[in-house]
């Protein structure tokens, strides 16, 4: 039976199956499956933006993800499971321009707005960025105690960008549940906090590069710089994969909705 949980950003739902009994899954196989689905999502975004650009190499992405998947310490026999979710959305301006009142504009000037009114979450990472007329922000939130999955802890990264001709949302989330122990769920996820912030940032930066190409197609500097920026993204991903300390292997299951 699956339990559904809405992330703090309100943009994704993560399916948490019943925690798995002890087994010995391959983190590498899990990471490869997640990477393949992420690349498919990025391909859909590229098509939606009308951009013909090389996608992130799934092998390098899988190597980085393998170091970001949370696991319990070796020898810990408790049941647990985790789930990844991700989405990339773009909106083009109509003849009348973009609709007013976008939540992302408020967050850009006030990081406290990462957390919606009445929402209980912690902002664990925040940054602003600007590329010509395009500007945006990235919020990474941590949240637990969902009414439908009390034992779970969630980390969600949401990146928002807006230019004269459209908007971009790039969302990434991971949830962990250790049966009857929400504190362990949180510690397990926080042990891989930095790694997941890095992976989410790499994915969002690639989506942003596609968005910039779409928004400024007549700017030769933008077009000429894409290959250079893409190469740097690949290098960053390889460096991340090498720098992540692989956690001690443990039993469990990772799912992607």
């Amino acid at each position: 039976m699956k339990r559904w949980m809405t992330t703090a950003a309100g943009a994704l739902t993560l399916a948490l199956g019943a925690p798995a009994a002890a087994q010995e899954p391959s983190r590498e196989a899990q990471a490869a499956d997640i990477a393949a689905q992420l690349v498919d999502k990025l391909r859909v975004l590229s098509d939606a933006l009308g951009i013909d650009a090389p996608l992130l190499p799934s092998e390098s992405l899988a190597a980085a993800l393998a170091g970001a998947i949370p696991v319990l310490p070796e020898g810990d026999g408790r049941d647990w499971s985790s789930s990844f979710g991700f989405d990339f959305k773009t909106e083009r301006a109509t003849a009348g321009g973009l609709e007013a009142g976008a939540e992302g504009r408020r967050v850009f000037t006030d990081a406290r707005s990462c957390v919606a009114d009445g929402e209980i979450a912690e902002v664990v990472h925040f940054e602003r960025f600007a590329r010509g007329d395009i500007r945006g922000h990235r919020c990474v939130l941590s949240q637990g105690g969902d009414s439908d999955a009390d034992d779970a802890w969630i980390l969600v990264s949401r990146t928002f960008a807006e230019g004269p001709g459209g908007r971009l949302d790039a969302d990434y989330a991971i949830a962990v549940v250790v049966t009857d122990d929400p504190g362990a769920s949180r510690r397990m996820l926080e042990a891989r906090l930095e790694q997941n912030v890095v992976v989410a940032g790499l994915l969002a930066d690639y989506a942003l590069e596609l968005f910039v190409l779409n928004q400024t197609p007549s700017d030769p500097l933008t077009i000429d710089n894409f290959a250079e920026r893409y190469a740097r993204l690949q290098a960053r991903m390889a460096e991340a994969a090498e720098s992540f300390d692989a956690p001690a292997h443990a039993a469990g299951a990772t799912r992607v909705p």
Side-chain angles (χ1 to χ4, degrees):
M1 180 180 71
K2 288 185 176 180
R3 295 178 294 173
W4 292 90
M5 175 169 53
T6 302
T7 68
L12 298 171
T13 54
L14 297 177
L16 284 177
Q23 54 182 317
E24 200 68 23
S26 164
R27 281 174 45 249
E28 290 74 18
Q30 295 171 12
D33 180 56
I34 296 167
Q37 296 188 53
L38 273 165
V39 171
D40 284 343
K41 285 275 190 177
L42 290 171
R43 183 179 292 109
V44 171
L45 174 65
S46 177
D47 291 343
L49 290 169
I51 301 300
D52 183 14
L55 295 171
L56 291 176
S58 58
E59 296 83 0
S60 298
L61 180 55
L65 281 164
I69 295 175
V71 296
L72 282 170
E74 188 172 5
D76 191 322
R78 285 177 294 179
D79 294 340
W80 67 277
S81 65
S82 63
S83 179
F84 280 80
F86 29 80
D87 201 10
F88 306 94
K89 297 179 181 178
T90 184
E91 174 187 356
R92 294 186 180 182
T94 63
L98 291 169
E99 294 183 10
E103 175 184 335
R105 296 177 181 173
R106 183 177 69 253
V107 178
F108 185 81
T109 55
D110 184 359
R112 293 172 299 181
S113 296
C114 284
V115 181
D117 292 341
E119 190 172 54
I120 300 175
E122 301 169 6
V123 180
V124 297
H125 178 82
F126 176 79
E127 62 181 288
R128 297 180 179 86
F129 54 82
R131 294 276 297 276
D133 292 334
I134 297 170
R135 68 176 195 170
H137 68 269
R138 180 173 301 134
C139 294
V140 183
L141 307 177
S142 178
Q143 184 183 46
D146 183 272
S147 59
D148 294 326
D150 293 337
D151 298 337
W153 207 266
I154 316 164
L155 184 75
V156 58
S157 170
R158 185 173 188 183
T159 300
F160 174 90
E162 183 176 280
R167 296 191 184 105
L168 170 73
D169 286 287
D171 300 324
Y172 170 100
I174 175 173
V176 176
V177 57
V178 178
T179 304
D180 299 326
D181 195 342
S185 302
R186 177 172 185 165
R187 291 190 298 272
M188 188 175 171
L189 185 55
E190 288 181 345
R192 298 284 97 187
L193 172 64
E194 293 181 4
Q195 291 86 342
N196 278 284
V197 169
V198 169
V199 171
L202 287 166
L203 292 166
D205 285 347
Y206 175 79
L208 178 63
E209 292 300 332
L210 296 181
F211 182 66
V212 170
L213 278 176
N214 171 267
Q215 292 290 292
T216 56
S218 61
D219 185 347
L221 291 177
T222 296
I223 298 171
D224 294 343
N225 285 344
F226 179 83
E228 181 181 337
R229 289 178 175 275
Y230 177 71
R232 286 205 296 264
L233 270 174
Q234 287 183 292
R236 284 170 53 199
M237 189 171 297
E239 290 171 2
E242 292 178 3
S243 67
F244 292 170
D245 293 328
H249 199 58
T254 299
R255 299 176 175 83
V256 182

